[in-house]
Amino acid sequence: MYSLKSFENGFEYLEINLKNISAKIALQGAHIFEYKRNKEDVLWLSELSDFELLKPIRGGIPLCWPRFGNQDKSMPQHGFARVSLFELIEVREREQESVKVFLKLQDSTQSRKIWDYKFELLVEIIVGETLHIKMKTSNNSLQECLITQAFHSYFCISDIKNICIENLQNKFYLDTLRDEICQESSAIHISCETDRVYQGVEKEIYLIDGVREVCLKSKGSSSLVVWNPWREKCSKMSAMHKDAYKKFVCLESANAFEDCKFIRPQESYTLELEIV
Ligand code: BG6
């Protein structure tokens, strides 16, 4: 039902095969880079993705941690977790129904150079009819720490023209391309470069693509990023074909901007997402 595999360059990942479900999880970044239901991809993965140590994978669910975005100049964009090697702690199988995976990242001499905290980041993934991820940050330092974070999920779609994102009506968002706060008036259709951080998101979010529907249920998050680079930016991005923007949309359950989290010493914070 599961096995630990590696590419020729030694890049390791866990492969999970259940009755109608399959998934692949890289140990670098605790990164789910494939999740299929009935052989259909739920997550998008770029054909040009590199599976190389210290390079982020383009697609799947990168974990942005302990920073979302690039506001903090002392840190790489989206933090360092996505290019850090996690320890595989345990894999638990539940017959043909689900597989639960535990992965852990702890501070190191390297991490303390860019983020001077003692921490444990525990990632729990349940692969089954739904995909459930939790990331728990424990602050083992003597000082309070601040985190911003996200499940940077790339969803596979038939075409960007066909999709609609529902349940963000009336929400305020920061349009990061214009640096403007706006209010959403209706369900979202994407027809140009879009990079927005919605705030006050409490409900489930629906991604509707013709007859296909994906629902995102988040806990511990009230911000959601909606991102599509569109034509021009896509052609300049690493590990993306110039037309790749038509085939994915990122909906990222986050703790970003005003939804950032302060964690006191010896306390922890958990962000959770279920993709139904
Ligand atoms: C999104 C950001 O979350 O990630 C975008 O809102 C950014 O601004 C995108 O371009 C991709 O980032 P990266 O570092 O994976 O290329």
PDB file of all heavy atoms in Angstrom, residues 56-59 62 64 68-70 76-78 82 150 152 154 176-177 193-197 225-229 233 237-238 240 250 252 257, ligand 1:
ATOM      1  N   PRO A  56      12.468  24.201  -4.837  1.00  0.00           N
ATOM      2  CA  PRO A  56      11.052  23.897  -4.597  1.00  0.00           C
ATOM      3  C   PRO A  56      10.426  23.167  -5.780  1.00  0.00           C
ATOM      4  O   PRO A  56      10.813  23.396  -6.927  1.00  0.00           O
ATOM      5  CB  PRO A  56      10.403  25.270  -4.426  1.00  0.00           C
ATOM      6  CG  PRO A  56      11.447  26.295  -4.575  1.00  0.00           C
ATOM      7  CD  PRO A  56      12.745  25.640  -4.941  1.00  0.00           C
ATOM      8  N   ILE A  57       9.478  22.299  -5.493  1.00  0.00           N
ATOM      9  CA  ILE A  57       8.744  21.585  -6.547  1.00  0.00           C
ATOM     10  C   ILE A  57       7.645  22.536  -7.039  1.00  0.00           C
ATOM     11  O   ILE A  57       6.976  23.181  -6.230  1.00  0.00           O
ATOM     12  CB  ILE A  57       8.092  20.305  -5.977  1.00  0.00           C
ATOM     13  CG1 ILE A  57       9.156  19.355  -5.414  1.00  0.00           C
ATOM     14  CG2 ILE A  57       7.230  19.602  -7.021  1.00  0.00           C
ATOM     15  CD1 ILE A  57       8.580  18.193  -4.602  1.00  0.00           C
ATOM     16  N   ARG A  58       7.425  22.620  -8.364  1.00  0.00           N
ATOM     17  CA  ARG A  58       6.388  23.497  -8.897  1.00  0.00           C
ATOM     18  C   ARG A  58       5.087  22.699  -9.051  1.00  0.00           C
ATOM     19  O   ARG A  58       4.902  21.975 -10.025  1.00  0.00           O
ATOM     20  CB  ARG A  58       6.857  24.060 -10.248  1.00  0.00           C
ATOM     21  CG  ARG A  58       5.853  24.941 -10.917  1.00  0.00           C
ATOM     22  CD  ARG A  58       5.609  26.249 -10.204  1.00  0.00           C
ATOM     23  NE  ARG A  58       6.737  27.162 -10.321  1.00  0.00           N
ATOM     24  CZ  ARG A  58       6.895  28.221  -9.522  1.00  0.00           C
ATOM     25  NH1 ARG A  58       6.019  28.484  -8.559  1.00  0.00           N
ATOM     26  NH2 ARG A  58       7.939  29.005  -9.670  1.00  0.00           N
ATOM     27  N   GLY A  59       4.220  22.835  -8.063  1.00  0.00           N
ATOM     28  CA  GLY A  59       2.937  22.136  -8.114  1.00  0.00           C
ATOM     29  C   GLY A  59       2.683  21.395  -6.821  1.00  0.00           C
ATOM     30  O   GLY A  59       3.451  21.520  -5.858  1.00  0.00           O
ATOM     31  N   PRO A  62       3.099  22.892  -1.867  1.00  0.00           N
ATOM     32  CA  PRO A  62       4.256  23.367  -1.115  1.00  0.00           C
ATOM     33  C   PRO A  62       3.801  23.924   0.240  1.00  0.00           C
ATOM     34  O   PRO A  62       2.739  24.550   0.328  1.00  0.00           O
ATOM     35  CB  PRO A  62       4.810  24.506  -1.983  1.00  0.00           C
ATOM     36  CG  PRO A  62       4.188  24.343  -3.317  1.00  0.00           C
ATOM     37  CD  PRO A  62       2.884  23.627  -3.116  1.00  0.00           C
ATOM     38  N   CYS A  64       4.375  26.651   2.820  1.00  0.00           N
ATOM     39  CA  CYS A  64       5.062  27.927   3.022  1.00  0.00           C
ATOM     40  C   CYS A  64       5.184  28.104   4.528  1.00  0.00           C
ATOM     41  O   CYS A  64       4.165  28.199   5.222  1.00  0.00           O
ATOM     42  CB  CYS A  64       4.254  29.078   2.442  1.00  0.00           C
ATOM     43  SG  CYS A  64       3.896  28.859   0.703  1.00  0.00           S
ATOM     44  N   PHE A  68       4.963  33.201   4.800  1.00  0.00           N
ATOM     45  CA  PHE A  68       4.270  33.183   3.527  1.00  0.00           C
ATOM     46  C   PHE A  68       4.720  34.455   2.808  1.00  0.00           C
ATOM     47  O   PHE A  68       4.755  35.526   3.410  1.00  0.00           O
ATOM     48  CB  PHE A  68       2.748  33.206   3.719  1.00  0.00           C
ATOM     49  CG  PHE A  68       2.058  33.476   2.414  1.00  0.00           C
ATOM     50  CD1 PHE A  68       1.884  32.456   1.514  1.00  0.00           C
ATOM     51  CD2 PHE A  68       1.680  34.769   2.061  1.00  0.00           C
ATOM     52  CE1 PHE A  68       1.324  32.706   0.268  1.00  0.00           C
ATOM     53  CE2 PHE A  68       1.121  35.025   0.824  1.00  0.00           C
ATOM     54  CZ  PHE A  68       0.945  33.987  -0.073  1.00  0.00           C
ATOM     55  N   GLY A  69       5.039  34.363   1.525  1.00  0.00           N
ATOM     56  CA  GLY A  69       5.364  35.554   0.732  1.00  0.00           C
ATOM     57  C   GLY A  69       6.807  35.988   0.883  1.00  0.00           C
ATOM     58  O   GLY A  69       7.666  35.206   1.301  1.00  0.00           O
ATOM     59  N   ASN A  70       7.041  37.252   0.531  1.00  0.00           N
ATOM     60  CA  ASN A  70       8.439  37.712   0.519  1.00  0.00           C
ATOM     61  C   ASN A  70       8.624  39.032   1.270  1.00  0.00           C
ATOM     62  O   ASN A  70       9.519  39.797   0.972  1.00  0.00           O
ATOM     63  CB  ASN A  70       8.930  37.843  -0.930  1.00  0.00           C
ATOM     64  CG  ASN A  70       8.111  38.856  -1.703  1.00  0.00           C
ATOM     65  OD1 ASN A  70       7.193  39.451  -1.146  1.00  0.00           O
ATOM     66  ND2 ASN A  70       8.436  39.061  -2.963  1.00  0.00           N
ATOM     67  N   PRO A  76      14.056  33.251   2.547  1.00  0.00           N
ATOM     68  CA  PRO A  76      13.659  33.025   1.155  1.00  0.00           C
ATOM     69  C   PRO A  76      12.145  33.204   0.990  1.00  0.00           C
ATOM     70  O   PRO A  76      11.401  33.045   1.965  1.00  0.00           O
ATOM     71  CB  PRO A  76      14.041  31.562   0.890  1.00  0.00           C
ATOM     72  CG  PRO A  76      14.579  31.011   2.144  1.00  0.00           C
ATOM     73  CD  PRO A  76      14.591  32.068   3.203  1.00  0.00           C
ATOM     74  N   GLN A  77      11.692  33.521  -0.240  1.00  0.00           N
ATOM     75  CA  GLN A  77      10.244  33.640  -0.503  1.00  0.00           C
ATOM     76  C   GLN A  77       9.563  32.365  -0.009  1.00  0.00           C
ATOM     77  O   GLN A  77      10.026  31.257  -0.275  1.00  0.00           O
ATOM     78  CB  GLN A  77      10.038  33.842  -2.009  1.00  0.00           C
ATOM     79  CG  GLN A  77       8.690  33.432  -2.526  1.00  0.00           C
ATOM     80  CD  GLN A  77       8.020  34.499  -3.377  1.00  0.00           C
ATOM     81  OE1 GLN A  77       7.990  35.668  -3.015  1.00  0.00           O
ATOM     82  NE2 GLN A  77       7.475  34.094  -4.512  1.00  0.00           N
ATOM     83  N   HIS A  78       8.449  32.520   0.719  1.00  0.00           N
ATOM     84  CA  HIS A  78       7.652  31.407   1.260  1.00  0.00           C
ATOM     85  C   HIS A  78       8.404  30.564   2.295  1.00  0.00           C
ATOM     86  O   HIS A  78       8.056  29.399   2.543  1.00  0.00           O
ATOM     87  CB  HIS A  78       7.117  30.515   0.143  1.00  0.00           C
ATOM     88  CG  HIS A  78       6.088  31.176  -0.732  1.00  0.00           C
ATOM     89  ND1 HIS A  78       5.219  32.137  -0.280  1.00  0.00           N
ATOM     90  CD2 HIS A  78       5.789  30.998  -2.055  1.00  0.00           C
ATOM     91  CE1 HIS A  78       4.423  32.533  -1.271  1.00  0.00           C
ATOM     92  NE2 HIS A  78       4.764  31.875  -2.362  1.00  0.00           N
ATOM     93  N   ARG A  82       9.834  24.414   2.558  1.00  0.00           N
ATOM     94  CA  ARG A  82       9.594  23.693   1.300  1.00  0.00           C
ATOM     95  C   ARG A  82      10.880  23.149   0.679  1.00  0.00           C
ATOM     96  O   ARG A  82      10.824  22.304  -0.208  1.00  0.00           O
ATOM     97  CB  ARG A  82       8.803  24.544   0.300  1.00  0.00           C
ATOM     98  CG  ARG A  82       9.486  25.806  -0.185  1.00  0.00           C
ATOM     99  CD  ARG A  82       8.612  26.529  -1.204  1.00  0.00           C
ATOM    100  NE  ARG A  82       9.186  27.784  -1.635  1.00  0.00           N
ATOM    101  CZ  ARG A  82       8.770  28.490  -2.674  1.00  0.00           C
ATOM    102  NH1 ARG A  82       7.755  28.067  -3.391  1.00  0.00           N
ATOM    103  NH2 ARG A  82       9.338  29.625  -2.999  1.00  0.00           N
ATOM    104  N   ALA A 150       1.239  28.891   4.827  1.00  0.00           N
ATOM    105  CA  ALA A 150       0.158  28.524   3.888  1.00  0.00           C
ATOM    106  C   ALA A 150       0.357  27.122   3.339  1.00  0.00           C
ATOM    107  O   ALA A 150       1.489  26.639   3.219  1.00  0.00           O
ATOM    108  CB  ALA A 150       0.125  29.494   2.713  1.00  0.00           C
ATOM    109  N   HIS A 152       0.111  25.915   0.021  1.00  0.00           N
ATOM    110  CA  HIS A 152       0.108  26.585  -1.287  1.00  0.00           C
ATOM    111  C   HIS A 152      -0.410  25.611  -2.358  1.00  0.00           C
ATOM    112  O   HIS A 152       0.316  25.209  -3.276  1.00  0.00           O
ATOM    113  CB  HIS A 152       1.549  27.005  -1.589  1.00  0.00           C
ATOM    114  CG  HIS A 152       1.724  27.969  -2.710  1.00  0.00           C
ATOM    115  ND1 HIS A 152       1.175  27.780  -3.957  1.00  0.00           N
ATOM    116  CD2 HIS A 152       2.405  29.136  -2.773  1.00  0.00           C
ATOM    117  CE1 HIS A 152       1.522  28.794  -4.739  1.00  0.00           C
ATOM    118  NE2 HIS A 152       2.266  29.630  -4.044  1.00  0.00           N
ATOM    119  N   TYR A 154      -1.869  23.834  -5.471  1.00  0.00           N
ATOM    120  CA  TYR A 154      -2.079  24.024  -6.904  1.00  0.00           C
ATOM    121  C   TYR A 154      -3.163  23.030  -7.323  1.00  0.00           C
ATOM    122  O   TYR A 154      -2.943  21.820  -7.270  1.00  0.00           O
ATOM    123  CB  TYR A 154      -0.824  23.681  -7.712  1.00  0.00           C
ATOM    124  CG  TYR A 154       0.323  24.656  -7.635  1.00  0.00           C
ATOM    125  CD1 TYR A 154       1.172  24.701  -6.523  1.00  0.00           C
ATOM    126  CD2 TYR A 154       0.604  25.516  -8.695  1.00  0.00           C
ATOM    127  CE1 TYR A 154       2.250  25.581  -6.478  1.00  0.00           C
ATOM    128  CE2 TYR A 154       1.693  26.394  -8.653  1.00  0.00           C
ATOM    129  CZ  TYR A 154       2.496  26.413  -7.546  1.00  0.00           C
ATOM    130  OH  TYR A 154       3.566  27.286  -7.505  1.00  0.00           O
ATOM    131  N   THR A 176      -2.584  42.180  -4.180  1.00  0.00           N
ATOM    132  CA  THR A 176      -1.147  42.462  -4.004  1.00  0.00           C
ATOM    133  C   THR A 176      -0.528  43.042  -5.281  1.00  0.00           C
ATOM    134  O   THR A 176       0.561  43.591  -5.227  1.00  0.00           O
ATOM    135  CB  THR A 176      -0.365  41.207  -3.560  1.00  0.00           C
ATOM    136  OG1 THR A 176      -0.470  40.246  -4.590  1.00  0.00           O
ATOM    137  CG2 THR A 176      -0.883  40.619  -2.271  1.00  0.00           C
ATOM    138  N   LEU A 177      -1.209  42.920  -6.419  1.00  0.00           N
ATOM    139  CA  LEU A 177      -0.655  43.476  -7.657  1.00  0.00           C
ATOM    140  C   LEU A 177      -0.847  44.988  -7.696  1.00  0.00           C
ATOM    141  O   LEU A 177      -0.056  45.717  -8.274  1.00  0.00           O
ATOM    142  CB  LEU A 177      -1.329  42.836  -8.885  1.00  0.00           C
ATOM    143  CG  LEU A 177      -1.208  41.312  -8.963  1.00  0.00           C
ATOM    144  CD1 LEU A 177      -2.061  40.768 -10.097  1.00  0.00           C
ATOM    145  CD2 LEU A 177       0.245  40.905  -9.147  1.00  0.00           C
ATOM    146  N   GLU A 193      -3.983  38.155 -14.644  1.00  0.00           N
ATOM    147  CA  GLU A 193      -3.122  37.813 -13.505  1.00  0.00           C
ATOM    148  C   GLU A 193      -3.844  38.163 -12.203  1.00  0.00           C
ATOM    149  O   GLU A 193      -4.409  39.254 -12.067  1.00  0.00           O
ATOM    150  CB  GLU A 193      -1.792  38.575 -13.590  1.00  0.00           C
ATOM    151  CG  GLU A 193      -0.853  38.178 -12.455  1.00  0.00           C
ATOM    152  CD  GLU A 193       0.475  38.930 -12.441  1.00  0.00           C
ATOM    153  OE1 GLU A 193       0.774  39.706 -13.375  1.00  0.00           O
ATOM    154  OE2 GLU A 193       1.215  38.729 -11.463  1.00  0.00           O
ATOM    155  N   THR A 194      -3.848  37.238 -11.272  1.00  0.00           N
ATOM    156  CA  THR A 194      -4.595  37.411 -10.026  1.00  0.00           C
ATOM    157  C   THR A 194      -3.708  36.994  -8.853  1.00  0.00           C
ATOM    158  O   THR A 194      -3.140  35.903  -8.867  1.00  0.00           O
ATOM    159  CB  THR A 194      -5.862  36.515 -10.065  1.00  0.00           C
ATOM    160  OG1 THR A 194      -6.619  36.873 -11.225  1.00  0.00           O
ATOM    161  CG2 THR A 194      -6.716  36.654  -8.833  1.00  0.00           C
ATOM    162  N   ASP A 195      -3.570  37.883  -7.887  1.00  0.00           N
ATOM    163  CA  ASP A 195      -2.762  37.570  -6.705  1.00  0.00           C
ATOM    164  C   ASP A 195      -3.409  38.308  -5.526  1.00  0.00           C
ATOM    165  O   ASP A 195      -3.193  39.513  -5.351  1.00  0.00           O
ATOM    166  CB  ASP A 195      -1.312  38.040  -6.942  1.00  0.00           C
ATOM    167  CG  ASP A 195      -0.328  37.366  -6.002  1.00  0.00           C
ATOM    168  OD1 ASP A 195      -0.776  36.769  -5.007  1.00  0.00           O
ATOM    169  OD2 ASP A 195       0.886  37.439  -6.268  1.00  0.00           O
ATOM    170  N   ARG A 196      -4.257  37.596  -4.801  1.00  0.00           N
ATOM    171  CA  ARG A 196      -5.079  38.250  -3.780  1.00  0.00           C
ATOM    172  C   ARG A 196      -5.043  37.482  -2.464  1.00  0.00           C
ATOM    173  O   ARG A 196      -5.012  36.249  -2.476  1.00  0.00           O
ATOM    174  CB  ARG A 196      -6.549  38.267  -4.218  1.00  0.00           C
ATOM    175  CG  ARG A 196      -6.759  38.970  -5.517  1.00  0.00           C
ATOM    176  CD  ARG A 196      -8.205  38.825  -5.901  1.00  0.00           C
ATOM    177  NE  ARG A 196      -8.483  39.494  -7.170  1.00  0.00           N
ATOM    178  CZ  ARG A 196      -9.612  39.394  -7.826  1.00  0.00           C
ATOM    179  NH1 ARG A 196     -10.599  38.641  -7.333  1.00  0.00           N
ATOM    180  NH2 ARG A 196      -9.796  40.019  -8.949  1.00  0.00           N
ATOM    181  N   VAL A 197      -5.120  38.238  -1.368  1.00  0.00           N
ATOM    182  CA  VAL A 197      -5.204  37.604  -0.050  1.00  0.00           C
ATOM    183  C   VAL A 197      -6.546  38.001   0.559  1.00  0.00           C
ATOM    184  O   VAL A 197      -6.751  39.170   0.923  1.00  0.00           O
ATOM    185  CB  VAL A 197      -4.052  38.054   0.873  1.00  0.00           C
ATOM    186  CG1 VAL A 197      -4.085  37.256   2.178  1.00  0.00           C
ATOM    187  CG2 VAL A 197      -2.702  37.903   0.193  1.00  0.00           C
ATOM    188  N   VAL A 225      -5.399  32.711  -0.111  1.00  0.00           N
ATOM    189  CA  VAL A 225      -4.741  33.351  -1.247  1.00  0.00           C
ATOM    190  C   VAL A 225      -5.294  32.744  -2.524  1.00  0.00           C
ATOM    191  O   VAL A 225      -5.444  31.521  -2.620  1.00  0.00           O
ATOM    192  CB  VAL A 225      -3.208  33.128  -1.184  1.00  0.00           C
ATOM    193  CG1 VAL A 225      -2.505  33.824  -2.351  1.00  0.00           C
ATOM    194  CG2 VAL A 225      -2.659  33.621   0.145  1.00  0.00           C
ATOM    195  N   VAL A 226      -5.633  33.596  -3.472  1.00  0.00           N
ATOM    196  CA  VAL A 226      -6.061  33.127  -4.796  1.00  0.00           C
ATOM    197  C   VAL A 226      -5.012  33.640  -5.777  1.00  0.00           C
ATOM    198  O   VAL A 226      -4.770  34.853  -5.858  1.00  0.00           O
ATOM    199  CB  VAL A 226      -7.465  33.680  -5.154  1.00  0.00           C
ATOM    200  CG1 VAL A 226      -7.853  33.262  -6.567  1.00  0.00           C
ATOM    201  CG2 VAL A 226      -8.504  33.189  -4.147  1.00  0.00           C
ATOM    202  N   TRP A 227      -4.359  32.699  -6.457  1.00  0.00           N
ATOM    203  CA  TRP A 227      -3.251  33.107  -7.332  1.00  0.00           C
ATOM    204  C   TRP A 227      -3.283  32.371  -8.663  1.00  0.00           C
ATOM    205  O   TRP A 227      -3.464  31.153  -8.705  1.00  0.00           O
ATOM    206  CB  TRP A 227      -1.913  32.828  -6.630  1.00  0.00           C
ATOM    207  CG  TRP A 227      -0.714  33.153  -7.494  1.00  0.00           C
ATOM    208  CD1 TRP A 227      -0.373  34.386  -7.966  1.00  0.00           C
ATOM    209  CD2 TRP A 227       0.274  32.249  -7.998  1.00  0.00           C
ATOM    210  NE1 TRP A 227       0.768  34.298  -8.728  1.00  0.00           N
ATOM    211  CE2 TRP A 227       1.194  33.002  -8.760  1.00  0.00           C
ATOM    212  CE3 TRP A 227       0.481  30.876  -7.875  1.00  0.00           C
ATOM    213  CZ2 TRP A 227       2.280  32.432  -9.404  1.00  0.00           C
ATOM    214  CZ3 TRP A 227       1.576  30.308  -8.508  1.00  0.00           C
ATOM    215  CH2 TRP A 227       2.468  31.082  -9.260  1.00  0.00           C
ATOM    216  N   ASN A 228      -3.146  33.160  -9.729  1.00  0.00           N
ATOM    217  CA  ASN A 228      -2.856  32.603 -11.057  1.00  0.00           C
ATOM    218  C   ASN A 228      -1.959  33.620 -11.775  1.00  0.00           C
ATOM    219  O   ASN A 228      -2.301  34.794 -11.847  1.00  0.00           O
ATOM    220  CB  ASN A 228      -4.133  32.358 -11.868  1.00  0.00           C
ATOM    221  CG  ASN A 228      -3.796  31.735 -13.218  1.00  0.00           C
ATOM    222  OD1 ASN A 228      -3.347  32.411 -14.128  1.00  0.00           O
ATOM    223  ND2 ASN A 228      -3.983  30.432 -13.336  1.00  0.00           N
ATOM    224  N   PRO A 229      -0.817  33.182 -12.289  1.00  0.00           N
ATOM    225  CA  PRO A 229       0.158  34.145 -12.845  1.00  0.00           C
ATOM    226  C   PRO A 229      -0.222  34.708 -14.205  1.00  0.00           C
ATOM    227  O   PRO A 229       0.322  35.716 -14.638  1.00  0.00           O
ATOM    228  CB  PRO A 229       1.430  33.307 -12.968  1.00  0.00           C
ATOM    229  CG  PRO A 229       0.968  31.898 -13.110  1.00  0.00           C
ATOM    230  CD  PRO A 229      -0.324  31.801 -12.342  1.00  0.00           C
ATOM    231  N   LYS A 233       3.469  36.471 -16.776  1.00  0.00           N
ATOM    232  CA  LYS A 233       4.280  36.070 -15.629  1.00  0.00           C
ATOM    233  C   LYS A 233       4.647  34.589 -15.724  1.00  0.00           C
ATOM    234  O   LYS A 233       5.762  34.185 -15.392  1.00  0.00           O
ATOM    235  CB  LYS A 233       3.527  36.357 -14.333  1.00  0.00           C
ATOM    236  CG  LYS A 233       4.384  36.102 -13.109  1.00  0.00           C
ATOM    237  CD  LYS A 233       3.842  36.709 -11.841  1.00  0.00           C
ATOM    238  CE  LYS A 233       4.762  36.387 -10.682  1.00  0.00           C
ATOM    239  NZ  LYS A 233       4.156  36.681  -9.394  1.00  0.00           N
ATOM    240  N   MET A 237       8.299  32.346 -15.204  1.00  0.00           N
ATOM    241  CA  MET A 237       8.477  31.624 -13.938  1.00  0.00           C
ATOM    242  C   MET A 237       9.303  30.364 -14.115  1.00  0.00           C
ATOM    243  O   MET A 237       9.296  29.746 -15.174  1.00  0.00           O
ATOM    244  CB  MET A 237       7.124  31.261 -13.342  1.00  0.00           C
ATOM    245  CG  MET A 237       6.354  32.491 -12.944  1.00  0.00           C
ATOM    246  SD  MET A 237       5.047  32.151 -11.805  1.00  0.00           S
ATOM    247  CE  MET A 237       5.948  31.939 -10.294  1.00  0.00           C
ATOM    248  N   SER A 238       9.954  29.981 -13.025  1.00  0.00           N
ATOM    249  CA  SER A 238      10.765  28.763 -13.070  1.00  0.00           C
ATOM    250  C   SER A 238       9.867  27.534 -13.170  1.00  0.00           C
ATOM    251  O   SER A 238       8.751  27.524 -12.628  1.00  0.00           O
ATOM    252  CB  SER A 238      11.612  28.660 -11.799  1.00  0.00           C
ATOM    253  OG  SER A 238      10.768  28.593 -10.685  1.00  0.00           O
ATOM    254  N   MET A 240       7.897  26.177 -15.354  1.00  0.00           N
ATOM    255  CA  MET A 240       6.518  26.262 -15.875  1.00  0.00           C
ATOM    256  C   MET A 240       6.552  26.447 -17.377  1.00  0.00           C
ATOM    257  O   MET A 240       7.297  27.306 -17.863  1.00  0.00           O
ATOM    258  CB  MET A 240       5.804  27.476 -15.283  1.00  0.00           C
ATOM    259  CG  MET A 240       5.041  27.178 -14.053  1.00  0.00           C
ATOM    260  SD  MET A 240       3.746  28.404 -13.844  1.00  0.00           S
ATOM    261  CE  MET A 240       3.572  28.350 -12.087  1.00  0.00           C
ATOM    262  N   CYS A 250      -4.196  28.383  -7.852  1.00  0.00           N
ATOM    263  CA  CYS A 250      -3.750  28.144  -6.476  1.00  0.00           C
ATOM    264  C   CYS A 250      -4.763  28.748  -5.517  1.00  0.00           C
ATOM    265  O   CYS A 250      -5.112  29.936  -5.637  1.00  0.00           O
ATOM    266  CB  CYS A 250      -2.378  28.770  -6.224  1.00  0.00           C
ATOM    267  SG  CYS A 250      -1.058  27.813  -6.936  1.00  0.00           S
ATOM    268  N   GLU A 252      -4.893  28.971  -1.494  1.00  0.00           N
ATOM    269  CA  GLU A 252      -3.921  28.686  -0.434  1.00  0.00           C
ATOM    270  C   GLU A 252      -4.486  29.060   0.935  1.00  0.00           C
ATOM    271  O   GLU A 252      -4.612  30.242   1.255  1.00  0.00           O
ATOM    272  CB  GLU A 252      -2.642  29.477  -0.721  1.00  0.00           C
ATOM    273  CG  GLU A 252      -2.163  29.305  -2.158  1.00  0.00           C
ATOM    274  CD  GLU A 252      -1.107  30.330  -2.586  1.00  0.00           C
ATOM    275  OE1 GLU A 252      -0.344  30.804  -1.725  1.00  0.00           O
ATOM    276  OE2 GLU A 252      -1.052  30.675  -3.768  1.00  0.00           O
ATOM    277  N   PHE A 257      -0.641  38.024   6.374  1.00  0.00           N
ATOM    278  CA  PHE A 257      -0.899  39.427   6.686  1.00  0.00           C
ATOM    279  C   PHE A 257      -1.558  39.544   8.069  1.00  0.00           C
ATOM    280  O   PHE A 257      -1.008  39.032   9.022  1.00  0.00           O
ATOM    281  CB  PHE A 257      -1.698  40.104   5.561  1.00  0.00           C
ATOM    282  CG  PHE A 257      -0.861  40.174   4.288  1.00  0.00           C
ATOM    283  CD1 PHE A 257      -0.887  39.151   3.355  1.00  0.00           C
ATOM    284  CD2 PHE A 257      -0.002  41.248   4.074  1.00  0.00           C
ATOM    285  CE1 PHE A 257      -0.094  39.213   2.203  1.00  0.00           C
ATOM    286  CE2 PHE A 257       0.800  41.310   2.937  1.00  0.00           C
ATOM    287  CZ  PHE A 257       0.749  40.287   2.010  1.00  0.00           C
TER     288      PHE A 257
HETATM  289  C1  BG6 B   1       1.827  32.907  -4.396  1.00  0.00           C
HETATM  290  C2  BG6 B   1       2.109  34.375  -4.300  1.00  0.00           C
HETATM  291  O1  BG6 B   1       1.402  32.446  -3.146  1.00  0.00           O
HETATM  292  O2  BG6 B   1       3.010  32.211  -4.793  1.00  0.00           O
HETATM  293  C3  BG6 B   1       2.673  34.884  -5.633  1.00  0.00           C
HETATM  294  O3  BG6 B   1       0.916  35.053  -3.933  1.00  0.00           O
HETATM  295  C4  BG6 B   1       3.889  34.055  -6.048  1.00  0.00           C
HETATM  296  O4  BG6 B   1       3.006  36.248  -5.504  1.00  0.00           O
HETATM  297  C5  BG6 B   1       3.490  32.585  -6.051  1.00  0.00           C
HETATM  298  O5  BG6 B   1       4.344  34.462  -7.316  1.00  0.00           O
HETATM  299  C6  BG6 B   1       4.608  31.625  -6.470  1.00  0.00           C
HETATM  300  O6  BG6 B   1       5.716  31.750  -5.671  1.00  0.00           O
HETATM  301  P1  BG6 B   1       6.994  30.847  -5.927  1.00  0.00           P
HETATM  302  O7  BG6 B   1       8.037  31.342  -4.950  1.00  0.00           O
HETATM  303  O8  BG6 B   1       6.608  29.428  -5.650  1.00  0.00           O
HETATM  304  O9  BG6 B   1       7.395  31.052  -7.361  1.00  0.00           O
END
